[in-house]
Amino acid sequence: MSALEPRAPEIAPDPVPAAAPQSSGGIMGAAHRTLSIGIISVIFIIAFEATAVGTAMPVAARELDGIALYAFAFSSYFTTSLFGMVLAGQWSDRSGPLGALTVGIGGVAAGLLFSGTAASMWVFVLGRAVQGLGGGLVIVALYVVVGRAYEERLRPVIMAAFAASWVVPSIVGPLISGTVTEHLGWRWVFLGIPAMVIVPLLVALPEIRRSAGGPVDKDAAPQPFDRRRIRLAFGISLGAGLLQYAAQDLRWLSLVPALVGTALLVPAVRGLLPRGTYLARRGLPAVVLLRGVAAGAFIAAESFVPLMLVTQRGLSPTLAGFSLALGGATWALGSWVQSKARAVPHRERLMVAGMLLVAFSVAAAPAVLIEAVPVWTLAVVWGFGCLGMGLVIGPTSVLLLQLSPPQEAGANSAALQISDALANVVLLAIGGAAFAALGGGSVGAAHAVTGAAGAGPSHPGAFVAVFLPMAAVALVGAWVATRVATTEPTPSPAAKTG
C-alpha cells in the first residue's frame, strides 16, 4: 500500500471550518453524498495504481536492467512528493484545494505515461519522480477537502471509508496487473491507468468547488506564497534525492552527494516540521513523527516483498502481488475499529498495539526465504502488519485535523505528509544500500518471470538486511505512539521553525 494513501487523541476539538456543512446525516447523507462518492473514487484509483504498479515493478526493473535501482524507483516518488506536499499546502490555504488536486492528478497521469514508455531504468525512475510530484499535490489537497467539507464527527468515518476503498483494488489489482504483465507486458500496466482517472474527476471536482473551494476567508486578501517554505521544500527534495542516489552507488565518491544531501536536508526538515518532532514531544510533534516512523518502516519493507517472492521463491508477478491482497481488508478493518466512538478512550493503546503488529509482521516476513516455510504464510503475516497500520495511520490523520485551525490545515497536512514521505525516502535509502551491499543488485538477473526459484543468483541475506532494521524502527514507533496524547494546545508548525 502506498504511504501517500489518506487513511485516516482526543484533544480539545478544533473549530469547524467555515466551509464545512452542518448536517445530521453521515458521509452518504444528502449534504455529503456526491462529494464522498467522488473523493472515495479518487482514492480507489490511487489504490489500484499502487497495487498494480507494485506488482509490475519487479518485472519492469529486470527488463530495464535496473534491479540495482529497484529501491530508487520507489523512493524517487516520495522524494519529489515532498516538494509537491509543501506547494499543495500553501496553494490550498491560499486559494482552496481544487487547483492542487487537479494539477496533481494530471501529474500522476503524466508520470505513469513517462514510466510506461521508458527505455532505460533511469528514465523509468524519472517518470516515477513526476508521478510523485503529482501525488504530493493530491494527498495534501484531499486532506484539506476533508478538513473543510466534513464536520469533526464525520472525519474518522470518511478516513475509514478511504481505507475501505483499498480492499477491492488490493484483491483485483494484483490479478489484473499480473495478467497484463505476463501476457501483454508491464508497460501496459502503466499506460492503462491514466484513463481511469477521468470519471472520478468529473464527479469530484464540481463538489469540491462547491463545498471546499476558495480560501477559508473569502473576504481577506489572498496571502502570498511563503517563498522561504518553498525554498525549504526544494532543499528537502533535492537533499533526499542526493541521499538516495548515494545509497544506490556504493563508492567512496558517493560520500560527496551524501554529505551535500544531508546538508540540504537537515535545515529544511527543521524548518518544515513542528519543533520537537524528532524528540517526540507530546502532541502534534509526536503525531507527525509517528506517521513517518510507521509509514517509512512498513513501506520500505513492503516494497521488497514482491521482489523477494518473484526472485527467491519463483512466484509469478500475479501470485507475488496477491501476497499483499489480504492487507487491504485488514488495513480497512483497523481503520474501521479506530473510527468508532467507543475506541476514542483507547486510541493511544490501540496505536501502540498497531505498531507492535507492524514490527512483528516485518520481522517475520523473511521467514519465507526458508524453502520449508509455505509461501502463503507471508500473506497471513502481512495481513497482521496491515491491520496494525490501519490502527495507526487513520488516527494520526484525524488528530492532525483536530489540531489544525482551518486556515492552517493545508500547511499542517503538508507537515504530516512530509514526515511520511521523508521517512520513506530515508529508510528506503538505508534498506536499498544494505540490499545492494549484500549482492541484491544481481538478484534474479538470470531469472525468468515464471521460472523456478533459484534459477538466478540467490542472496537471501540481502532481503534480511532490509526487513530486520525496519522491524526495529517499528518498535521505536510503538514508544512514540505512547506520546501522542496531550492535554495542552500545540502550536502549528506553519508559523515557526524547529
Side-chain angles (χ1 to χ4, degrees), residues 2 33 40 98 139 145 236 242 253 306 337 360 394 412 452 463 477:
S2 168
R33 185 183 302 118
I40 289 172
L98 187 63
I139 188 63
V145 170
I236 202 173
L242 289 171
L253 192 60
V337 168
F360 161 75
N412 290 356
F463 290 98

Side-chain angles (χ1 to χ4, degrees), residues 19 25 74 147 160 163 173 203 209 214 227 353 386 447 460 479:
F74 284 96
V203 174
R209 181 182 294 110
R227 295 182 180 180
C386 288
H447 185 263
W479 171 76

